[in-house]
Amino acid sequence: LSSSTTGAEKQEKQYQAHQGFGNHHGGVTGAHTYFYADEAKCDQHMETFLRCIDASSGSSEDGFSAIKLTALARPQFLVRFSEVLVKWRRFFHQMATEQGQAGQAVLDTKLEVEKLQEALANLGIASKAESRQWFTGSTVDLLDWNSLLDSRTKLSRPLLIPNRMTGQLEPLLSRFSEEEELQMKRVLQRMDVLAKRAMEKGVRLMVDAEQSYFQPAISHLTVQTQRCFNRSQPIIYNTYQCYLKEAYNNVTGDMELSRREDWHFGSKLVRGAYMEQERERAAQMGYEDPINTTYEKTNEMYHRCLDYVLEEITRSRKASVMVASHNEDTVKFTLRRMMELGIHPSDKKVCFGQLLGMCDQITFPLGQAGFPVYKYVPYGPVNEVLPYLSRRAQENRGFMQRANRERDLLWKEVKRRLLTGNLFS
């Protein structure tokens, strides 16, 4: 058993159910993840999101409304779907390793079709005659590979691959049960309803990122919706968590797909809100921690992803990004790169976002300078909304220093008004 196989087997544990994380609440200070028993609850959440879209439309132009897919689909289904997606992509990288391309960036990894067909035949997965129908070019990259997954119903039989530990054939791409197919259909229908309302109301829809074991399914479903609704403008925004080691691959892969299919790439970049829970779950279940090892590496990842999107804006004008950050260095980095690349605030390709009640010393100057800037407004029962107030304490080590600075700025403004006699301006 090779070490690479051992690592892959461990990684798959990330996308398996775990009773200790059944309600997905433990260790989450930044966001609430829904857990419920029936589809009716999903429909209730959809109605709430529809009202939120209407409220966003009535309060401002170019509004945003955020939705969470764990409110629109059963978490068990999202975990199951994520497992299928990850096994499928892992097999692609396994084939890449066999062709001497281990460790390459996702967009640089291209399988030679002839060698791939031979490997599939040798593994007993498919004959050359069968696999010849699957690929049209001389090479296959991950996006081509994923398109085969999207058309899995066209395959003549379930794909089986030998398990290197047991020697037994196991489904690589097993078919969903009838109930799972229905769940897939329902969640896409709900997203379709929300996207159509958002388009009708002139509101952009942000799909929030969630725990890493849900995220492959969430991103896949979001991209499917973007392919339909982002043809002429960015209506649907996907969220990328830059504390994940795979963040850059996720951003570059989705953007490349948008280029090939000629739709607008809408993105929201965050650092992430589930670090404590992610690390606890990885330790308990025995898979590699998906989070960057240090805060500095997360900063580097954020700026790397952001720079990639900004350069695409300059190149094609078919990309947009919300810089959702309370980090002053990140805001300064964004402003500097916009100036260097010739991206003007009035282009409305770059906007900024902070939580309501936090970092007003960043929000207000940006707005006054003409940049599109938004306040993220949490809503709901008090006991479920309060955790947002501690969100940045977990995400940013310098939170307390910035809170002290904000207090000092407010006190300075109070003294200025007292001395000038202008208490209300």
Side-chain angles (χ1 to χ4, degrees):
L1 182 66
S2 69
S3 60
S4 61
T5 304
T6 304
E9 295 292 339
K10 283 185 176 180
Q11 198 64 30
E12 281 186 17
K13 293 181 180 179
Q14 182 174 357
Y15 303 96
Q16 296 171 2
H18 186 282
Q19 186 174 359
F21 294 83
N23 66 8
H24 315 296
H25 290 94
V28 178
T29 62
H32 177 67
T33 301
Y34 293 90
F35 190 77
Y36 45 80
D38 55 49
E39 293 290 323
K41 199 70 174 176
C42 298
D43 291 333
Q44 291 176 20
H45 291 146
M46 183 185 72
E47 293 298 327
T48 299
F49 289 146
L50 287 170
R51 292 196 296 273
C52 184
I53 291 170
D54 292 342
S56 298
S57 171
S59 60
S60 65
E61 294 182 4
D62 299 320
F64 277 99
S65 184
I67 65 172
K68 297 177 77 69
L69 253 64
T70 50
L72 299 174
R74 294 183 181 182
Q76 299 96 323
F77 166 71
L78 294 174
V79 172
R80 159 85 169 121
F81 189 23
S82 291
E83 181 184 9
V84 170
L85 290 165
V86 169
K87 285 181 79 171
W88 184 240
R89 293 169 192 168
R90 181 174 70 82
F91 184 60
F92 172 86
H93 290 294
Q94 181 180 319
M95 293 294 99
T97 299
E98 306 242 344
Q99 293 191 17
Q101 299 187 60
Q104 289 192 172
V106 166
L107 292 184
D108 295 331
T109 305
K110 298 183 185 297
L111 304 182
E112 294 180 33
V113 167
E114 189 172 338
K115 290 182 179 179
L116 175 59
Q117 289 172 335
E118 289 177 6
L120 294 173
N122 291 337
L123 289 169
I125 294 172
S127 68
K128 284 190 175 182
E130 289 172 318
S131 62
R132 199 171 289 123
Q133 317 171 42
W134 301 350
F135 313 112
T136 55
S138 60
T139 61
V140 174
D141 63 15
L142 187 57
L143 298 181
D144 300 323
W145 186 252
N146 285 339
S147 70
L148 181 61
L149 172 68
D150 292 337
S151 61
R152 64 189 184 280
T153 55
K154 298 177 183 177
L155 301 181
S156 58
R157 66 171 185 265
L159 297 180
L160 301 175
I161 182 173
N163 183 311
R164 295 189 179 184
M165 297 182 68
T166 66
Q168 301 296 313
L169 289 177
E170 292 183 351
L172 169 66
L173 184 57
S174 56
R175 296 181 184 276
F176 287 134
S177 68
E178 185 177 343
E179 175 56 30
E180 287 169 334
E181 290 285 1
L182 284 173
Q183 288 183 42
M184 175 81 78
K185 183 178 180 180
R186 289 173 190 138
V187 67
L188 286 171
Q189 285 174 337
R190 292 181 186 111
M191 292 181 74
D192 186 73
V193 168
L194 293 171
K196 286 177 178 175
R197 178 69 67 87
M199 182 175 284
E200 174 192 336
K201 296 289 186 176
V203 172
R204 288 162 291 178
L205 209 57
M206 294 187 301
V207 181
D208 275 347
E210 306 192 49
Q211 288 94 335
S212 65
Y213 41 94
F214 295 135
Q215 198 54 43
I218 290 172
S219 284
H220 187 87
L221 293 166
T222 302
V223 167
Q224 298 309 309
T225 310
Q226 288 179 313
R227 294 165 91 174
C228 295
F229 289 92
N230 284 14
R231 288 293 170 184
S232 59
Q233 58 182 315
I235 297 294
I236 310 299
Y237 279 58
N238 202 358
T239 302
Y240 299 90
Q241 298 161 305
C242 294
Y243 69 178
L244 293 178
K245 296 172 182 175
E246 289 297 311
Y248 186 74
N249 283 338
N250 295 336
V251 170
T252 56
D254 289 350
M255 185 177 289
E256 175 61 22
L257 183 64
S258 74
R259 290 187 191 118
R260 292 184 188 184
E261 299 181 343
D262 196 28
W263 45 268
H264 288 255
F265 178 81
S267 59
K268 171 187 170 187
L269 297 183
V270 301
R271 279 175 169 77
Y274 303 96
M275 184 170 66
E276 180 183 339
Q277 188 193 51
E278 291 279 12
R279 287 186 165 155
E280 180 186 354
R281 191 177 190 272
Q284 287 191 25
M285 296 183 69
Y287 60 85
E288 181 186 351
D289 183 356
I291 308 295
N292 286 317
T293 53
T294 65
Y295 184 74
E296 289 69 30
K297 286 190 177 296
T298 292
N299 283 340
E300 291 172 11
M301 181 68 79
Y302 195 109
H303 291 179
R304 187 184 182 197
C305 292
L306 175 57
D307 206 44
Y308 190 85
V309 180
L310 293 176
E311 289 183 353
E312 179 67 14
I313 291 172
T314 303
R315 190 191 73 82
S316 73
R317 316 302 291 178
K318 284 199 168 185
S320 301
V321 62
M322 170 178 274
V323 181
S325 176
H326 293 161
N327 187 297
E328 291 185 24
D329 290 337
T330 292
V331 172
K332 290 176 182 176
F333 172 86
T334 308
L335 298 178
R336 184 177 72 252
R337 290 298 288 144
M338 287 178 68
M339 183 178 297
E340 292 169 353
L341 294 169
I343 302 172
H344 195 271
S346 63
D347 296 338
K348 295 186 178 180
K349 295 292 184 180
V350 181
C351 61
F352 297 84
Q354 290 88 41
L355 285 174
L356 180 66
M358 291 189 181
C359 290
D360 289 346
Q361 79 275 12
I362 293 177
T363 309
F364 293 158
L366 283 172
Q368 289 166 352
F371 290 90
V373 60
Y374 295 82
K375 282 299 193 183
Y376 197 97
V377 185
Y379 61 91
V382 172
N383 64 318
E384 294 179 2
V385 171
L386 280 177
Y388 277 92
L389 299 178
S390 62
R391 179 174 187 167
R392 287 308 182 276
Q394 175 177 305
E395 291 182 37
N396 299 315
R397 289 180 181 176
F399 173 77
M400 292 312 297
Q401 289 90 333
R402 280 190 291 279
N404 289 337
R405 184 181 175 193
E406 189 166 358
R407 181 201 60 193
D408 293 341
L409 288 170
L410 289 170
W411 180 237
K412 182 178 179 180
E413 178 63 14
V414 168
K415 288 193 289 185
R416 183 194 70 80
R417 293 187 183 192
L418 287 172
L419 290 172
T420 60
N422 298 317
L423 292 178
F424 301 104
S425 64

